[in-house]
Amino acid sequence: MSSNWWNYKDQAKPDRSGLPVWPTIVVFVVAIAIGFLIRALTWPDNKHVNGAFIADAILIPSLLVMTLASFMLMVASVDRHYDETRLAIKKRRDEVLKRYARKKMVIAGWHTLTPMKDDPALAMLKLEGEFPLAPKTPLKLPREDSFEFTTNEMIFMPLVAPLVDKLKTYYRQFEAVVWVNGGDESCAGDLQRTLERLGVKPGKVEYLAECPGYVQVDSWIDSARDYVFNRLLVIVDKQDDENESKAMESATAILLTNAYTRTEGEAPVYLYRPIVGIIDAEKAVPVYLFAESVSAPKVLWYTGLSRTQKYPLLKVLDEHQLAATRLGAEDSFGDKSAGYQWLLVALAADAISYAQGDQLVAAPEKNRMNIISLSSRLSPDPVSDWWVDYLSPWQYGMLLGLFFGFSLLLAISYLNKPDPLSGFCTLAVILGPFFIITGLGILLTISFSNKAYDDMRA
């Protein structure tokens, strides 16, 4: 599985309650009352009440209570900072994952050829026609003998002709890739001649020796970031005439672009980044669904999945109550064949155009499962909501340092009234605790930030 498809487990919500309001007020009142009582009992009988009485009776108890409260808040903030840091790491990762999953291309046009009389998508979705069952399905694409065209050219012509208007107008600068089952490099020349006969000239036609999988889409999405990307993918899944096969022949053409031009009466079909190389569906698929490139897929199309791939996938979808309709290519078309994965992408695009909602398509590649999603809706970018405004231990350390420094200054002044402190000593008494305790708060903040990152990676 791609190294980008992972996420942290859900994190506990931090305790954001702070100090209880009413108990704190009661402590303040009691402390001031005690201060008044003590100062009244110790105030000289022959001395008038002045500002010193107020300072001793109110300011000193208040500073002591605020110092104690700051200490308690600083201690509590260590745990909160640890929890908030973990939650922020999780939320930032959520955002990165969702932005990664929302990378996409648009299927600007598509067309399929099958031996089936009815539209395969309509029939399989039970919207029109009889649901196709593999034994009743004609297996071969129609063929005609011709001395003028090769067999490939006779398939290419009706396959790509419906896309020619788009290729002539909106997507004139395009490249083509072609795979033909049992074909060779000459297939690229056949496709190039066919396109030129239809009045379009591709920039390049590349023949693929193996049927591409959805990993190819993943690489195309990454490579199409900095320039206009128009690519015609042609898949011809024909069988060897000399060997009998129970798989259905098909041909699929898909025009992919990252510079879609909307035409009147046409809705775009977005092809979102696939998740590829899945080994453990129960672990990987929930991450894919969480990313919500499509939020509520209605149909799962799948082909070629082993039992150990298929049933865990269906189990996860059941748990999330998604894609209640599941359509296997082999149930309708016969034995599995490499080209089904692209035929299903085109049928899923058909389903979207028939207002059947978001779609998922699953297919294996090199014994690992790949899943791709399609939608007519543009998934919004995730909102950055990981930032929470709260006081860190170092900030509470600053408050504690100030309150402690002033409390210490008043206490020394009270006990040493005949000899007032010098300006330097006054600054030292205030700033010394401030810098020491603030430094302690900074160390606690850094230490527990690092601990949160280490524990998340563990």
Side-chain angles (χ1 to χ4, degrees):
M1 187 177 70
S2 169
S3 59
N4 293 291
W5 289 103
W6 61 272
N7 205 6
Y8 295 113
K9 64 181 181 180
D10 291 339
Q11 298 297 304
K13 187 175 180 179
D15 181 5
R16 297 169 178 170
S17 58
L19 291 179
V21 177
W22 286 110
T24 303
I25 293 175
V26 170
V27 171
F28 260 99
V29 172
V30 170
I32 292 172
I34 293 174
F36 262 102
L37 179 62
I38 293 174
R39 202 66 196 98
L41 293 175
T42 59
W43 190 257
D45 294 336
N46 59 351
K47 187 175 181 180
H48 293 289
V49 174
N50 55 22
F53 181 93
I54 301 299
D56 294 344
I58 297 178
L59 191 57
I60 291 178
S62 297
L63 280 174
L64 290 175
V65 171
M66 287 189 287
T67 300
L68 178 62
S70 297
F71 175 76
M72 294 173 64
L73 287 169
M74 181 177 174
V75 172
S77 73
V78 171
D79 288 335
R80 179 175 177 183
H81 177 67
Y82 173 80
D83 293 337
E84 293 282 9
T85 301
R86 288 185 63 124
L87 188 59
I89 294 169
K90 169 71 166 69
K91 288 186 173 182
R92 284 199 297 269
R93 179 59 202 167
D94 291 349
E95 183 181 339
V96 169
L97 175 62
K98 290 183 177 182
R99 291 187 186 279
Y100 179 77
R102 279 158 175 73
K103 299 296 182 182
K104 63 193 177 300
M105 287 188 293
V106 178
I107 301 180
W110 65 94
H111 188 60
T112 62
L113 297 178
T114 71
M116 298 175 61
K117 294 180 181 179
D118 297 325
D119 182 323
L122 287 174
M124 293 176 72
L125 292 166
K126 299 181 180 178
L127 298 176
E128 290 181 11
E130 182 180 353
F131 186 87
L133 297 174
K136 298 179 181 179
T137 302
L139 301 178
K140 296 284 187 180
L141 289 170
R143 286 172 168 74
E144 295 181 4
D145 293 329
S146 173
F147 295 104
E148 185 177 358
F149 304 117
T150 66
T151 301
N152 289 332
E153 289 174 314
M154 287 188 289
I155 295 174
F156 292 151
M157 183 67 73
L159 179 64
V160 301
L163 305 178
V164 165
D165 288 343
K166 290 178 179 290
L167 295 173
K168 285 182 178 179
T169 53
Y170 306 117
Y171 310 102
R172 285 174 293 182
Q173 295 182 341
F174 74 96
E175 296 181 354
V177 291
V178 58
W179 174 79
V180 177
N181 192 6
D184 54 32
E185 292 288 343
S186 66
C187 298
D190 292 340
L191 179 58
Q192 176 127 14
R193 285 190 298 274
T194 301
L195 291 169
E196 290 174 353
R197 287 191 189 98
L198 292 169
V200 292
K201 186 174 179 60
K204 182 176 71 172
V205 178
E206 178 186 2
Y207 174 74
L208 301 177
E210 297 182 1
C211 183
Y214 302 153
V215 174
Q216 186 69 66
V217 175
D218 193 46
S219 65
W220 283 343
I221 288 173
D222 285 333
S223 64
R225 292 177 180 174
D226 302 323
Y227 66 97
V228 174
F229 180 96
N230 298 321
R231 184 148 299 178
L232 178 64
L233 173 65
V234 176
I235 302 293
V236 177
D237 196 359
K238 63 180 184 178
Q239 307 300 328
D240 187 347
D241 291 333
E242 297 180 359
N243 298 313
E244 185 177 350
S245 173
K246 293 183 180 180
M248 184 185 76
E249 292 187 336
S250 64
T252 305
I254 297 175
L255 176 58
L256 296 169
T257 181
N258 66 347
Y260 177 69
T261 302
R262 185 186 294 269
T263 59
E264 186 176 354
E266 179 182 80
V269 174
Y270 297 104
L271 186 73
Y272 286 97
R273 182 187 293 279
I275 179 172
V276 298
I278 298 173
I279 299 175
D280 185 348
E282 289 189 84
K283 180 179 179 181
V285 175
V287 176
Y288 181 67
L289 297 175
F290 171 82
E292 288 188 319
S293 54
V294 295
S295 57
K298 292 182 65 176
V299 182
L300 167 69
W301 308 75
Y302 62 91
T303 180
L305 301 183
S306 66
R307 292 184 179 89
T308 57
Q309 293 169 335
K310 174 183 174 181
Y311 294 112
L313 171 60
L314 299 185
K315 178 177 180 289
V316 172
L317 292 175
D318 286 339
E319 290 172 350
H320 288 78
Q321 297 181 333
L322 296 174
T325 301
R326 288 85 185 263
L327 300 172
E330 289 75 25
D331 296 334
S332 295
F333 303 146
D335 289 353
K336 69 177 181 180
S337 194
Y340 287 170
Q341 59 189 316
W342 295 107
L343 175 61
L344 290 186
V345 169
L347 297 185
D350 282 334
I352 288 174
S353 67
Y354 300 147
Q356 297 304 299
D358 298 344
Q359 311 283 306
L360 295 179
V361 186
E365 185 175 1
K366 296 180 180 178
N367 296 321
R368 297 188 178 187
M369 183 170 60
N370 303 330
I371 302 176
I372 203 164
S373 57
L374 298 86
S375 177
S376 62
R377 298 174 294 178
L378 188 60
S379 297
D381 284 335
V383 178
S384 297
D385 65 345
W386 53 269
W387 173 256
V388 176
D389 190 14
Y390 68 97
L391 294 182
S392 300
W394 71 269
Q395 293 169 304
Y396 280 117
M398 292 176 63
L399 293 175
L400 176 58
L402 283 174
F403 291 141
F404 184 80
F406 280 110
S407 298
L408 185 62
L409 177 65
L410 288 177
I412 293 174
S413 299
Y414 177 78
L415 296 173
N416 195 35
K417 284 186 177 180
D419 302 311
L421 294 175
S422 65
F424 175 80
C425 289
T426 299
L427 286 176
V429 169
I430 295 174
L431 296 181
F434 173 78
F435 285 116
I436 291 172
I437 298 175
T438 299
L440 176 62
I442 292 172
L443 290 176
L444 287 172
T445 302
I446 294 173
S447 174
F448 278 84
S449 293
N450 292 337
K451 177 175 170 53
Y453 278 96
D454 291 341
D455 290 348
M456 290 293 282
R457 286 193 291 263

